[in-house]
Amino acid sequence: MTDAQRAYEARRAAKAGLSLEKWLAAKEKDREEERRAAAGAAAARAAATEPGKKPNLFRRLLDRAQQPLKGS
């Protein structure tokens, strides 16, 4: 970070009533939360647009085993 950037962030930290270190840590934490939210939203969009897969043999057998027996 350049001296000018550091001075700017120091003024913003003073205005918020925080030390420069705490201000920068809070700013980094906010950025990380935004990244996680964006990644989660992207994953949700991808999952929503992905068509459902046809169940494979093992899944079909498990589903059939969970169903009640039919009386004859």
Side-chain angles (χ1 to χ4, degrees):
M1 191 180 312
T2 66
D3 291 338
Q5 289 172 329
R6 192 165 192 78
Y8 173 75
E9 293 297 339
R11 285 193 304 271
R12 289 184 68 194
K15 188 183 277 190
L18 298 171
S19 69
L20 179 60
E21 291 79 22
K22 286 183 181 179
W23 173 259
L24 292 175
K27 199 171 166 185
E28 183 61 33
K29 183 180 174 185
D30 289 343
R31 274 195 222 123
E32 185 61 33
E33 287 175 4
E34 287 177 5
R35 283 187 208 124
R36 284 189 190 135
R45 279 194 309 268
T49 58
E50 182 178 308
K53 289 178 163 180
K54 180 180 174 187
N56 60 17
L57 175 65
F58 190 66
R59 170 61 26 201
R60 290 193 314 259
L61 288 173
L62 283 175
D63 289 341
R64 190 174 294 168
Q66 299 296 321
Q67 295 175 354
L69 296 175
K70 294 180 185 177
S72 33

